[in-house]
Amino acid sequence: MSNAYGSTQGQAGVPAPTDAGLSPTAATGSSHDDPDAHHAGPAEAEAPESAPGATTVWQKLRAFHERNFGLFLVFLAEVFASLMTMTTRLLETGFETKFHALQIIFVRMLATAILGSLYMWVKKVPDFPLGDRKVRGLLCLRGAAGFMGLSCSYYSLSYLNISDSTVISFLVPTVTAFICFIALREPFTINEASAGFIAFIGVLFIARPTFLFPADDVIEPTAAASALWLASETPKDGGSGFVPPVVATPEERSLAVLLGVLGTFGAAAAYSTIRVIGKRAHSLVSVNYFAVLATVGSCLIILVHPDLEFKLPENGMQWFLLVAIGVAGFLLQFLLTEGLQREKAGRATNLIYTQLVFALILERIVWGTTPSGWSLIGAALIIGAALWVMLQKNPVAHSTAEAAKQQPGNREVDEESSLLGRSAALGEENGAAHTRR
């Protein structure tokens, strides 16, 4: 959730794209369609006649690297996003000393704010640290909305499996499109509305409220008792992971899902604000507002709330996890930005669904659990709805892409909106007329 709500999902706009935003391939002028069509350099002219085969293989490998290196970086970003979610849940539930979601947010966002500020200072990012005066109010709104979304998402992990939490985060593009339709009068088609309805049905399968789904202990054993796999999340052997499974009551689970959905609205509000800001603020400046406001906000709430307090880690593992969540949060921002500056948003968007695969693997290894059948049905509905919207033809996005090709020097990547798929393309028309450079 990406979450990471400073990324995409996140959530940073770090180094400048190669040659004003062109991919490494475009910058070097190499051709992937015909790797043999090139100008021979001095080294190649002096190569022995037996070398052409090896040279061709090397060229193909280099072309493959250039075509897919950005995709690989986005893939690594999704790995860190999943590891960060796992680390958060371990700190909230896996030890005798349990950390509140707000303290975890404080640690993660403090690290992101420090590392991000250092990076922008070294790279001399325009308008660092406060951004353009004209959009500072919008940047504050973006940070506050992101903080609200992240708080709800992290708190829901106390009672919700990471796979279910990850699937709920896939609602963000649909919710963003709806908010932009209400607030910005952007198009919201019948297909998008239908997909949103299907996705929220999927949320019901994940939440399983008791008035729709009977509790496990209410179901009488029958000859078809094997059907209980639909409601069971713990293996028959009681779990074989490193950490005991977290047992949540139906009420706690429903509350966690509700908070997860509220978190998607917070993230969607942040993305919609980014849409209005457009190119008037560097994306890393936007992420830094999010990180600073989340750090200050979480600290103040913990200090003021009578039932909350900062807790020190009780062992080396907790120290390691706290440090890891801060580093992973920044690497998520960095790798996602680097990858999206080299890769088409369409291919990169498809990789967000790999988070579910990582979540399922980590859940099985760490907690020894697998999602229930109901959760898998809900996941299929949510992902299917998202893919349906993604595959719809979008003439506006096509015209935007053509315009970008005609003006490569003005191409600027905003990783926070690039992962929103179709709705992001529609919103690019609302950005400022000038670039960040």
Side-chain angles (χ1 to χ4, degrees):
M1 200 183 259
S2 29
N3 243 244
Y5 297 130
S7 75
T8 102
Q9 330 240 81
Q11 338 233 338
V14 262
T18 305
D19 284 5
L22 294 175
S23 65
T25 304
T28 57
S30 61
S31 172
H32 296 323
D33 296 328
D34 186 5
D36 293 324
H38 64 282
H39 299 288
E44 295 178 10
E46 298 175 1
E49 296 182 357
S50 58
T55 303
T56 301
V57 171
W58 170 251
Q59 289 174 343
K60 290 181 178 179
L61 289 174
R62 184 175 180 179
F64 177 83
H65 170 269
E66 291 177 345
R67 285 197 306 270
N68 297 286
F69 183 63
L71 207 63
F72 175 69
L73 293 180
V74 176
F75 175 82
L76 283 182
E78 300 305 323
V79 172
F80 279 108
S82 299
L83 289 174
M84 192 166 54
T85 304
M86 178 201 72
T87 304
T88 300
R89 192 162 195 254
L90 278 174
L91 288 170
E92 290 180 355
T93 66
F95 299 91
E96 183 177 349
T97 299
K98 295 175 172 55
F99 288 84
H100 193 274
L102 288 173
Q103 183 170 348
I104 298 173
I105 290 174
F106 173 81
V107 172
R108 174 195 163 181
M109 288 308 176
L110 179 62
T112 300
I114 293 174
L115 295 175
S117 297
L118 287 174
Y119 193 95
M120 287 190 288
W121 179 68
V122 171
K123 293 296 183 179
K124 295 180 172 57
V125 169
D127 298 319
F128 168 75
L130 297 180
D132 191 334
R133 184 184 301 272
K134 297 178 181 178
V135 295
R136 289 176 186 172
L138 290 172
L139 287 168
C140 289
L141 178 60
R142 175 265 182 275
F147 172 48
M148 186 205 79
L150 188 62
S151 299
C152 292
S153 175
Y154 272 22
Y155 187 81
S156 69
L157 284 170
S158 298
Y159 306 106
L160 207 60
N161 288 345
I162 58 175
S163 58
D164 289 341
S165 178
T166 299
V167 169
I168 291 174
S169 71
F170 295 157
L171 293 172
V172 171
T174 300
V175 177
T176 302
F178 179 73
I179 290 179
C180 288
F181 168 70
I182 298 296
L184 305 178
R185 302 303 182 193
E186 291 185 2
F188 189 64
T189 66
I190 296 297
N191 286 340
E192 288 175 317
S194 301
F197 179 74
I198 293 172
F200 277 99
I201 291 178
V203 171
L204 288 178
F205 279 99
I206 294 176
R208 299 193 294 279
T210 53
F211 66 89
L212 290 177
F213 297 83
D216 296 355
D217 55 0
V218 175
I219 302 175
E220 295 294 335
T222 65
S226 59
L228 289 178
W229 72 276
L230 285 170
S232 176
E233 294 185 347
T234 305
K236 293 180 179 179
D237 59 5
S240 57
F242 295 103
V243 180
V246 179
V247 179
T249 65
E251 291 76 16
E252 290 172 336
R253 182 179 183 83
S254 297
L255 174 61
V257 171
L258 177 61
L259 289 173
V261 174
L262 287 177
T264 65
F265 276 90
Y271 289 132
S272 301
T273 307
I274 291 169
R275 187 81 47 81
V276 178
I277 294 171
K279 300 181 184 300
R280 291 177 288 175
H282 194 285
S283 55
L284 191 54
V285 173
S286 171
V287 170
N288 217 40
Y289 265 84
F290 171 41
V292 171
L293 286 175
T295 302
V296 175
S298 58
C299 179
L300 290 177
I301 294 174
I302 293 175
L303 292 176
V304 171
H305 199 287
D307 297 330
L308 298 178
E309 62 178 357
F310 283 100
K311 296 181 179 179
L312 288 176
E314 62 181 6
N315 52 47
M317 178 56 70
Q318 286 190 334
W319 277 109
F320 171 77
L321 292 175
L322 280 174
V323 173
I325 201 170
V327 174
F330 179 75
L331 288 176
L332 166 63
Q333 309 288 351
F334 183 87
L335 293 170
L336 193 57
T337 301
E338 282 285 290
L340 287 171
Q341 288 182 342
R342 291 170 168 82
E343 185 53 65
K344 295 179 180 179
R347 295 178 73 199
T349 300
N350 294 331
L351 280 183
I352 68 173
Y353 299 105
T354 60
Q355 276 197 51
L356 180 59
V357 178
F358 301 140
L360 291 172
I361 295 172
L362 292 173
E363 216 166 73
R364 182 62 182 174
I365 294 174
V366 177
W367 288 275
T369 60
T370 53
S372 70
W374 293 128
S375 291
L376 294 177
I377 293 173
L381 289 173
I382 293 173
I383 294 175
L387 291 175
W388 179 28
V389 171
M390 188 188 306
L391 294 175
Q392 299 298 314
K393 292 183 179 180
N394 181 20
V396 176
H398 178 73
S399 62
T400 304
E402 290 299 324
K405 290 180 181 179
Q406 295 174 7
Q407 297 178 330
N410 290 334
R411 179 176 179 266
E412 188 73 41
V413 177
D414 185 348
E415 83 293 343
E416 297 184 292
S417 56
S418 294
L419 292 183
L420 292 178
R422 179 181 183 278
S423 58
L426 291 171
E428 289 180 359
E429 294 187 338
N430 295 330
H434 64 282
T435 61
R436 290 192 288 259
R437 293 188 178 83

